[in-house]
Amino acid sequence: MPALLRSSLPFSPSSAILKKSSILPAISCTYRSSLLPRIHFPGVRTMTATAARPDPFRPAARVAGQRQDVWSIVNEAAAASPVQPIVNMGQGFFGYNPPKFALDAAKDALDRVDCNQYSPTKGRPRLKKAIADAYSPFFGRTLNPDTEVSITTGANEGMLSAFMGFIEPGDEVIIFEPFFDQYISNIEMPSGTIRYVPLHPPKDGATRTSSAAEWTINFEELENAINPKTKMIVLNSPHNPVGKVFSKAELERIGELCVKHNLIILSDEVYDRLYYVPFTRIATLSPELYERTLTVASAGKAFYATGWRVGYLIGPEHLIKYVAGAHTRICYSSVSPLQEATAIAFEQADQVGFWDDSRAEMKSKMERFCEVFKELGIPYSDPEGGYFVLANMASVKLPEGYQFPPHVANRPRDFKLCWFLIHEVGVAAIPPTEFYTDANAHIAEDYLRFAVCKNDDVLETAKERLRGLKKYIQ
């Protein structure tokens, strides 16, 4: 489809962001109408207070009928397991504190009056400047902290703000499978439609350990997913849960398609400080790609502080201003003292060599933990970035007749593997088919996702328990 057919459509903000109407006139009109005499029209039956009406307690379709989420299932299994305490290798929260310089900054910020009040909706000036200074060298340009950076309440809210800022009912967004599960609800909230393109794992992933780079894109499938309604594509590199870092060549091909079809790029780079191979940011490949890319990142991931909920977006002014507009309507502003602490953390991180140390430490944890898979002969996808590893459990044979609760028994094999590991060996992992559509769940049903961002003693305990799988491996 020629780019001319789309004109500047993808860069048009959502009508909800453009609308400048106030709620006050609507309220006053409602009030005034209650003072007017009631007019009766012949043949028209008016509703009374006692007339039948739809159930007001019926939930919205966006939340109704959802099957039990993976986090609830894992937590339920962990609570019921006879092996206690459970070693949680599932959710990607850190098992240790942020660095001391970040913690000290947070404590100091709590003593400042201005840090305990509202911050500007787009973020505290000190934090925006710190991010602009930290990222300008990566982007090869001097970022303007006032127009090209916006602070959000975590990266997830930042992505929701991006979708709310640009997606209208009927617009389509392309995402790759497996996906971060929050993408789905974030796109559906503004009534967007999702098109899925799977990453294809190596065909022999069940018999050999392979690089996460071997999870590949079929570019014909990708282009076939694009149509006149497509407005945006979502990238995630380093990727959760695969651990893939998209190569420069792959990003260039994706970028060519986005220019050809005039698409916005939402580049989810929340693990951008944890990469073990060369890492390229798609926004840096050309001025044209920068102009259509929103880069999302996370201070929580960067500084081991997922509970701080400090995220940020970097991009051109004509995109950022509408993301910031949506963010203002969603939560107005983000937590002030932790913004200030994040600003100071960015200012000091390079001085103490934190980024290099952080990468080396996480890579060491990955290697330490994966030793157990080598011992057991369980193949895994060797990550290029992030802190998740996918282990292929095809060789683990579940005992015949093993009893699973109904909400697990009717899910793919990886859910059963997850439940089994929790109950029999006391280690929690995440079944990655949760990050797939039903049609493509077969791709990942033999894998489990493990998070290695834990203390070394926890990793060692997990390894010891996982050795209990030996008797089930065939």
Side-chain angles (χ1 to χ4, degrees), residues 85-283:
I86 295 296
V87 179
N88 190 346
M89 302 290 292
Q91 286 183 274
F93 59 81
F94 294 87
Y96 40 89
N97 264 336
K100 187 176 184 300
F101 61 84
L103 284 178
D104 288 344
K107 294 172 184 176
D108 291 343
L110 289 172
D111 289 329
R112 290 173 47 186
V113 172
D114 65 302
C115 288
N116 287 295
Q117 308 306 321
Y118 293 123
S119 287
T121 59
K122 289 181 67 174
R124 296 182 71 80
R126 184 174 184 177
L127 177 54
K128 291 190 297 177
K129 182 179 185 305
I131 289 171
D133 290 345
Y135 280 83
S136 288
F138 299 139
F139 280 76
R141 57 187 291 136
T142 301
L143 296 170
N144 185 326
D146 295 322
T147 61
E148 296 178 285
V149 178
S150 190
I151 310 304
T152 59
T153 308
N156 181 53
E157 189 264 318
M159 288 184 274
L160 174 62
S161 294
F163 295 129
M164 287 292 192
F166 289 96
I167 299 302
E168 300 271 23
D171 287 340
E172 295 190 1
V173 180
I174 293 174
I175 66 175
F176 291 102
E177 296 183 87
F179 45 76
F180 175 47
D181 54 344
Q182 286 292 111
Y183 294 159
I184 309 306
S185 57
N186 285 352
I187 294 168
E188 290 178 343
M189 287 286 186
S191 300
T193 299
I194 304 167
R195 298 296 176 195
Y196 301 91
V197 176
L199 294 176
H200 296 278
K203 294 180 179 179
D204 56 354
T207 58
R208 72 175 178 90
T209 292
S210 53
S211 170
E214 294 185 48
W215 289 66
T216 57
I217 302 168
N218 181 318
F219 281 92
E220 183 177 351
E221 289 178 343
L222 176 56
E223 186 153 25
N224 286 341
I226 301 172
N227 64 65
K229 296 180 180 179
T230 310
K231 192 168 187 180
M232 188 181 293
I233 185 170
V234 180
L235 298 178
N236 178 204
S237 181
H239 189 278
N240 169 20
V242 172
K244 175 185 176 70
V245 171
F246 284 79
S247 69
K248 182 178 180 181
E250 288 173 320
L251 294 177
E252 285 174 340
R253 291 191 67 179
I254 293 170
E256 288 170 3
L257 290 175
C258 292
V259 171
K260 176 181 177 182
H261 297 282
N262 204 18
L263 308 180
I264 296 173
I265 301 167
L266 181 64
S267 188
D268 176 357
E269 299 178 9
V270 298
Y271 304 99
D272 71 333
R273 298 292 181 163
L274 295 172
Y275 54 88
Y276 319 122
V277 297
F279 172 54
T280 301
R281 303 169 192 272
I282 192 167

Side-chain angles (χ1 to χ4, degrees), residues 11 13 17 121-123 128 131 143-152 158 161-162 165-166 264 266 290-296 312-328:
F11 302 103
I17 302 303
T121 59
K122 289 181 67 174
K128 291 190 297 177
I131 289 171
L143 296 170
N144 185 326
D146 295 322
T147 61
E148 296 178 285
V149 178
S150 190
I151 310 304
T152 59
S161 294
F166 289 96
I264 296 173
L266 181 64
Y290 178 79
E291 290 299 314
R292 64 180 63 249
T293 300
L294 285 164
T295 298
V296 187
Y312 46 98
L313 286 90
I314 297 170
E317 180 180 8
H318 62 266
L319 297 180
I320 285 291
K321 65 182 179 180
Y322 296 115
V323 175
H327 161 75
T328 301

Side-chain angles (χ1 to χ4, degrees), residues 295-347:
T295 298
V296 187
S298 165
K301 299 292 194 300
F303 293 110
Y304 319 154
T306 58
W308 285 18
R309 311 306 298 143
V310 177
Y312 46 98
L313 286 90
I314 297 170
E317 180 180 8
H318 62 266
L319 297 180
I320 285 291
K321 65 182 179 180
Y322 296 115
V323 175
H327 161 75
T328 301
R329 298 294 175 250
I330 293 168
C331 59
Y332 184 69
S333 66
S334 300
V335 182
S336 295
L338 298 180
Q339 284 194 57
E340 190 73 7
T342 300
I344 295 169
F346 268 112
E347 292 166 359

Side-chain angles (χ1 to χ4, degrees), residues 39-46:
I39 300 174
H40 296 279
F41 295 92
V44 178
R45 183 177 179 181
T46 58

Side-chain angles (χ1 to χ4, degrees), residues 4 15 33-34 78 96-97 117 126 147-148 165 227 283 290 302 318 393 439-440 448 455 458 472:
L4 289 175
S15 58
S33 68
S34 68
Y96 40 89
N97 264 336
Q117 308 306 321
R126 184 174 184 177
T147 61
E148 296 178 285
N227 64 65
Y290 178 79
H318 62 266
M393 298 282 179
N440 285 323
L448 286 179
N455 286 322
V458 174
Y472 303 107

